[in-house]
Amino acid sequence: MGRGIIPAVPDGSALPQVTIAWLIAFARLAVREAVLAGHANSDIQGRGRMIQFVRDNAQWLAAGFLLTFTSAFGQTWFISLFADFIKDRHGLTDGSWGGLYTVATLSAAALMFWRGSLADTVPLSRLAPAVTLMFAVAAVALAWAPSVAVLGVALFLLRFCGQGMFSHMAMTAMGRWFEARRGQAVSLTNLGHPAGEIFVPLLVVMLIGGIGWRSTWLVVAGVLCLIVVPLLFLLLSEGRNPVGHQAQIARPGLMGRQWRRRDAARHWLLPALLPVLLTPGFIATVIFFHQAHIADVKGWTLPEMAPGYTAFGVATVIAAFTSGWLADRFGPLRLLPLLVVPMGLGVALIGPADGVWVWYVALGVVGITQGMASSLWGVLFPVLYGTAHLGAIRSMATTIMVISTAIGPGITGMLIDAGIDFPTQSLFLGLWCGAITLLCFGISRKLKADF
């Protein structure tokens, strides 16, 4: 899914300051929100604090965090760091590069739909290392690619492993391993995404400057094979059965059933959720994808816009922790109608924005929805569909989200070419979020009758 992108700031002098700001904000807020969540949730699981929860489950939470953190190597913001080098090497224009990337992403989404159910049938201790090795092969292929065809295959594998399977495996595991504190587990695991966005870009920029872009991809492959694979074997060496918990059992979902993917597809709920699943990834992706265009329209500069990414990241972390706790305390269904309200307000602010400070506010508010979404879906799907076939259900949802990040830039780009600039489009995107909010209210009310 589209996320906050520090490396979009081309000014080398601005990048370190922005990265340092991210580091400070992330560390302070992560610690503070974790402690607050632990105290506020004291009536769940016998008044245990967050620190005790993390201590008892550190091995499994660390495995989930490692997967979401390492997914960075297949995310759009990471691959975009190498876009100019790749286009120069293969003689691609902006249009042909964008088209190749869209085809690769859609192909990855199709494979995700087909094979995402492996998370139900293959133990994570075997599946995660195997996908990691495939990820490493993709990194080597991108560095070596002698032709556009090989480049396309490498992009396809990077998107399938990184944006698709790594996040999918992490969230499926959290949904299956945890119940009473599922929201907190999902929130902690999802911290790998902003952590990757904080730490990885500056290191990669330094590596590219020092050893070149192709060698940097070989380093990525080495990290995956020599560090990530052994860590996954270590962290997943035993099944999740921490102190104080009973052995893991499959929990039923809606109407007391264990839903299969084909059953979910035939039920009214999943088609109703389709636009809700598409919206956050679509809007967040196009905002960051068209940031240079927005700068041109508004008369801003990209370095001036850089603090907006800090606002986005801070808001994402706070919202993820807060929504995870709220989902545990009050149930995820109560959060569903609120999901896209902040994003609708934030994207609509871009249209009339004059001063660049409005951009900071807009991204901060959009980040609230991104943080909520990262926690909400990880908690909601096990509640709705049970845990026996959770991997298959989640793979369908993940496919939808990946598709949204693929089609967004193309649709909005065509509208820009037709003379409708993105600030104008943002007003309509805000209205769309309003319509989705009404839909979510209707879904929530109807679901209450089915539980």
Side-chain angles (χ1 to χ4, degrees):
M1 293 176 66
R3 307 186 65 85
I5 310 173
I6 298 175
V9 185
D11 186 341
S13 63
L15 183 58
Q17 287 90 330
V18 175
T19 305
I20 291 170
W22 268 82
L23 290 171
I24 294 172
F26 179 85
R28 288 178 177 174
L29 287 165
V31 171
R32 189 185 72 176
E33 294 301 318
V35 172
L36 287 176
H39 283 291
N41 207 28
S42 59
D43 59 326
I44 297 178
Q45 292 282 337
R47 292 182 171 273
R49 294 186 176 183
M50 171 70 84
I51 188 67
Q52 189 62 45
F53 171 70
V54 173
R55 187 175 296 163
D56 289 344
N57 299 280
Q59 178 177 346
W60 299 277
L61 293 172
F65 179 91
L66 179 62
L67 288 170
T68 56
F69 179 86
T70 314
S71 73
F73 300 136
Q75 300 285 358
T76 297
W77 62 261
F78 182 84
I79 297 172
S80 68
L81 283 170
F82 303 87
D84 287 342
F85 303 111
I86 294 171
K87 287 187 292 183
D88 288 344
R89 172 171 169 75
H90 294 281
L92 298 173
T93 64
D94 287 328
S96 57
W97 163 247
L100 181 66
Y101 193 79
T102 295
V103 170
T105 300
L106 291 175
S107 301
L111 183 60
M112 185 71 223
F113 178 80
W114 180 42
R115 303 307 294 169
S117 59
L118 286 172
D120 292 327
T121 58
V122 181
L124 192 62
S125 58
R126 287 163 45 196
L127 180 62
V131 176
T132 305
L133 291 175
M134 185 189 301
F135 208 171
V137 170
V140 173
L142 190 79
W144 165 73
S147 66
V148 173
V150 175
L151 172 64
V153 173
L155 287 172
F156 157 70
L157 290 176
L158 286 171
R159 299 294 281 156
F160 172 72
C161 295
Q163 186 180 28
M165 283 299 291
F166 266 50
S167 297
H168 171 62
M169 291 186 296
M171 290 300 99
T172 300
M174 294 306 108
R176 185 171 287 131
W177 289 344
F178 297 92
E179 185 177 358
R181 293 197 172 193
R182 185 179 287 140
Q184 293 179 27
V186 168
S187 298
L188 288 167
T189 297
N190 266 316
L191 284 179
H193 289 300
E197 293 162 355
I198 291 165
F199 290 101
V200 172
L202 184 58
L203 294 175
V204 169
V205 169
M206 293 170 62
L207 276 175
I208 293 174
I211 63 176
W213 73 274
R214 297 175 71 186
S215 296
T216 299
W217 276 107
L218 297 180
V219 170
V220 169
V223 168
L224 290 169
C225 290
L226 302 178
I227 298 178
V228 177
V229 168
L231 279 176
L232 287 173
F233 274 122
L234 177 64
L235 294 172
L236 300 172
S237 59
E238 59 179 295
R240 194 262 175 184
N241 187 22
V243 177
H245 292 265
Q246 296 180 345
Q248 177 187 335
I249 59 175
R251 300 291 182 181
L254 196 64
M255 296 184 284
R257 295 174 54 186
Q258 293 288 356
W259 291 74
R260 295 182 179 273
R261 186 161 64 186
R262 61 175 177 269
D263 299 324
R266 293 169 183 164
H267 191 249
W268 68 267
L269 177 58
L270 194 61
L273 284 175
L274 181 63
V276 189
L277 288 165
L278 283 168
T279 296
F282 182 100
I283 292 179
T285 297
V286 298
I287 288 175
F288 291 112
F289 191 84
H290 292 302
Q291 56 192 305
H293 164 75
I294 295 171
D296 290 339
V297 173
K298 297 293 185 180
W300 303 333
T301 65
L302 290 175
E304 285 177 337
M305 296 166 70
Y309 311 126
T310 303
F312 179 89
V314 170
T316 298
V317 172
I318 295 175
F321 269 112
T322 304
S323 58
W325 168 70
L326 289 172
D328 286 340
R329 185 73 179 271
F330 303 107
L333 279 178
R334 294 191 179 183
L335 298 184
L336 183 62
L338 305 177
L339 177 62
V340 299
V341 172
M343 179 165 278
L345 294 173
V347 72
L349 284 174
I350 296 174
D354 186 19
V356 72
W357 65 270
V358 182
W359 169 256
Y360 311 153
V361 175
L363 287 195
V365 178
V366 167
I368 295 174
T369 288
Q370 286 297 95
M372 288 181 64
S374 67
S375 294
L376 181 62
W377 298 126
V379 181
L380 185 60
F381 281 112
V383 171
L384 294 177
Y385 298 114
T387 58
H389 310 290
L390 184 59
I393 299 291
R394 278 202 54 85
S395 69
M396 186 159 48
T398 302
T399 299
I400 294 168
M401 295 175 191
V402 172
I403 289 173
S404 73
T405 67
I407 64 176
I411 293 174
T412 54
M414 287 189 294
L415 290 173
I416 290 172
D417 289 346
I420 306 173
D421 62 39
F422 186 78
T424 301
Q425 294 180 43
S426 70
L427 298 174
F428 291 95
L429 290 174
L431 292 174
W432 170 260
C433 288
I436 296 299
T437 298
L438 294 177
L439 173 64
C440 288
F441 270 110
I443 292 172
S444 184
R445 290 188 63 181
K446 184 168 177 56
L447 280 175
K448 289 178 182 177
D450 291 337
F451 271 102

